[in-house]
Amino acid sequence: MGTGRRTLKIVAGVSGSPKIYGAAIDPERSTLADALEIAKLAEQHRFDALFAADLLSFGAQGAIGAQEPLIFLAALSAVTSRVGLIATVTTTFHHPYNLARLFGTLDHVSNGRAAWNAVTSSVGEENYGAGDLPSPEERYARAGEVLEVTNALFDSWLPGALTPDGHGDAVLDPERVRRIDHAGTYFTVRGPLNIPPLPQRRPVQFQAGQSAGGVELGARYAEVVFTSLSTLEDAVTYTKRIRTRAAELGRAEGLPLIFSSLHATYGSSADEVRRLVRERAEATDFEAGRKGLADMLGGEIDLSDLPLDRPLPESLLPELESVNRRRGRVEIFNRFARSGKTLRELIIAAKDTGHWAAAGTPEQLADAIEERYSAGVLDLIGLGGLGDPRNQDFLLAGLLPELRRRGIVGHDRTGATFRENLELPPLPPIGE
């Protein structure tokens, strides 16, 4: 393409497969077995990162959360050497000193490949005390303080705190390891961090959340935002909104990068694509789907007796301010419902949980990806399929080569660390 901009970075999901349950009861297999194969393929085919999702309640969304992301990715770091490692970890139920230690260690054991997808959690409060889930406003306020503290801890070792001694060891200057003396609304942390300076100085900061609070948090702190943008129009609107706010906050131009997951249906011809789309729709369990859609709309409405082939009554749709869970997702599905989609169509759409979904041949899917990339609203893309032989073939022998032929995806990684490979602007200097 010759655009002169950074190439599109490719991410593979590596968690949440129901195969984990079979491995859990097989004494001959580790629960890591399938992920190991995906990680090796991702490394071999020059993917840029592995992504581990997380949820904190049983059955909240399939097998997502069946393995803890940081430990899972630390194990995968031992069989990879270049691919980034993105762990989803909540700010709502963790202490920032522990988070700094965990991500600092992951960055060390992977030689500079750690990334943190910070979320505020919409489920799981029942497992962390007797109280209700805090409001979105409180969760985002706490998240902001968590990120302030962890960044201060990562920067608590000044340049020159460790210097080579010429014999393979280091000389420590304790005067260049400083306390942070943080006293805030939620945390009091003296510091310094007891983990040595990180290879990347800080793990790459991802963030997920598209409500007003999520946009503000992402604009202020995120280097990459993980998004659910089902249409190009949504992507353009969201990207303009968050980058305008980031610029107002003094962030570097082009931040944050936009990361979208594509839920792709691959076919070798137009006829096969139409058949697969039809079969997927026909396989929908509409009774279970009513509950899934209700969850996408905040979890407090009853869709059980509504006709499938009529739009939802406007009176059923929740006001965003009244929703305590996943406001960004509720906003997406409120908009879908108000567009006149029938209940049947909404249930089918909910199978992709608001994410970008497309069906086509590898060339047609490449067209859809190129459209967003050329519009400047796609910097990283999540592509599934490495765990499925059919989809894997379409992805590795079809879509990826086509994207590389067009110059959209690079032929190799551009740096030793994940931060370097993403071609991110430099971190702000550490104040003395």
Side-chain angles (χ1 to χ4, degrees):
M1 291 180 63
T3 61
R5 62 173 288 198
R6 71 169 59 82
T7 53
L8 180 65
K9 310 303 179 181
I10 306 298
V11 181
V14 76
S15 65
S17 168
K19 293 180 182 179
I20 206 83
Y21 295 132
I25 59 172
D26 185 345
E28 301 299 320
R29 284 191 295 158
S30 161
T31 53
L32 202 65
D34 288 306
L36 284 170
E37 296 307 312
I38 291 173
K40 290 174 182 176
L41 280 169
E43 184 103 331
Q44 176 187 345
H45 290 274
R46 304 182 302 285
F47 279 62
D48 297 286
L50 303 172
F51 180 86
D54 198 25
L55 290 170
L56 300 173
S57 290
F58 170 72
Q61 194 172 321
I64 294 176
Q67 300 282 270
E68 195 286 316
L70 280 160
I71 294 174
F72 205 63
L73 290 175
L76 294 178
S77 75
V79 297
T80 56
S81 62
R82 299 291 304 280
V83 69
L85 306 165
I86 309 165
T88 300
V89 181
T90 184
T91 58
T92 300
F93 303 117
H94 287 295
H95 191 283
Y97 193 81
N98 286 340
L99 288 166
R101 298 188 75 243
L102 290 164
F103 277 98
T105 300
L106 180 62
D107 205 47
H108 276 292
V109 300
S110 66
N111 288 326
R113 295 185 283 136
W116 174 14
N117 180 39
V119 297
T120 59
S121 292
S122 60
V123 297
E125 71 278 6
E126 71 278 5
N127 299 317
Y128 292 89
D132 293 335
L133 183 71
S135 70
E137 291 76 15
E138 184 175 355
R139 297 202 306 273
Y140 280 117
R142 177 187 167 107
E145 188 171 337
V146 167
L147 295 176
E148 288 283 351
V149 174
T150 53
N151 285 339
L153 288 167
F154 292 136
D155 292 350
S156 62
W157 291 62
L158 299 178
L162 288 177
T163 55
D165 71 352
H167 304 286
D169 288 323
V171 176
L172 171 65
D173 180 355
E175 297 299 317
R176 300 194 66 74
V177 184
R178 62 182 183 182
R179 291 163 49 163
I180 68 168
D181 290 321
H182 174 87
T185 302
Y186 300 95
F187 307 104
T188 298
V189 182
R190 188 181 74 173
L193 188 62
N194 63 343
I195 304 291
L198 278 57
Q200 299 185 103
R201 199 180 111 194
R202 299 176 188 172
V204 177
Q205 189 66 65
F206 285 60
Q207 179 263 344
Q210 289 175 225
S211 65
V215 169
E216 180 68 20
L217 187 74
R220 188 176 296 273
Y221 297 105
E223 295 171 290
V224 183
V225 284
F226 181 44
T227 63
S228 299
L229 302 169
S230 59
T231 68
L232 176 62
E233 180 183 5
D234 290 343
V236 170
T237 300
Y238 172 83
T239 302
K240 181 179 179 180
R241 179 185 178 194
I242 196 167
R243 286 185 176 159
T244 297
R245 180 58 181 144
E248 292 171 351
L249 293 166
R251 303 290 305 283
E253 184 180 0
L255 287 181
L257 305 187
I258 306 299
F259 171 28
S260 291
S261 177
L262 174 60
H263 291 198
T265 299
Y266 297 97
S268 57
S269 67
D271 285 344
E272 184 179 29
V273 170
R274 282 192 292 270
R275 176 179 62 78
L276 291 169
V277 170
R278 183 180 67 252
E279 289 175 353
R280 182 173 187 255
E282 290 171 349
T284 302
D285 181 338
F286 286 100
E287 293 313 304
R290 291 173 189 266
K291 296 178 182 178
L293 176 60
D295 182 59
M296 294 296 107
L297 288 167
E300 301 296 327
I301 63 174
D302 183 3
L303 305 176
S304 58
D305 295 326
L306 296 180
L308 283 173
D309 294 309
R310 294 182 63 184
L312 294 187
E314 183 88 13
S315 59
L316 270 184
L317 301 180
E319 294 294 330
L320 281 183
E321 294 72 19
S322 71
V323 174
N324 201 28
R325 304 176 190 272
R326 305 177 86 177
R327 277 187 187 170
R329 203 60 52 92
V330 173
E331 185 176 4
I332 291 169
F333 279 88
N334 265 356
R335 189 166 63 251
F336 285 173
R338 289 193 171 102
S339 74
K341 289 182 183 292
T342 65
L343 176 57
R344 183 186 303 275
E345 291 168 330
L346 289 168
I347 288 171
I348 293 171
K351 293 167 74 171
D352 292 306
T353 64
H355 285 285
W356 177 23
T361 64
E363 293 77 13
Q364 291 169 331
L365 292 170
D367 289 342
I369 292 167
E370 183 172 5
E371 181 180 40
R372 291 203 183 197
Y373 176 75
S374 298
V377 297
L378 184 65
D379 301 290
L380 294 84
I381 186 169
L383 293 173
L386 289 186
D388 174 84
R390 180 186 181 277
N391 287 340
Q392 179 179 304
D393 184 60
F394 274 105
L395 175 58
L396 299 182
L399 180 57
L400 271 184
E402 179 62 20
L403 291 171
R404 288 191 166 116
R405 185 189 68 78
R406 300 184 189 195
I408 297 169
V409 172
H411 290 276
D412 204 358
R413 303 175 187 91
T414 57
T417 68
F418 188 35
R419 178 175 296 282
E420 292 167 349
N421 186 44
L422 290 181
E423 304 172 73
L424 289 167
L427 289 168
I430 300 176
E432 291 286 339

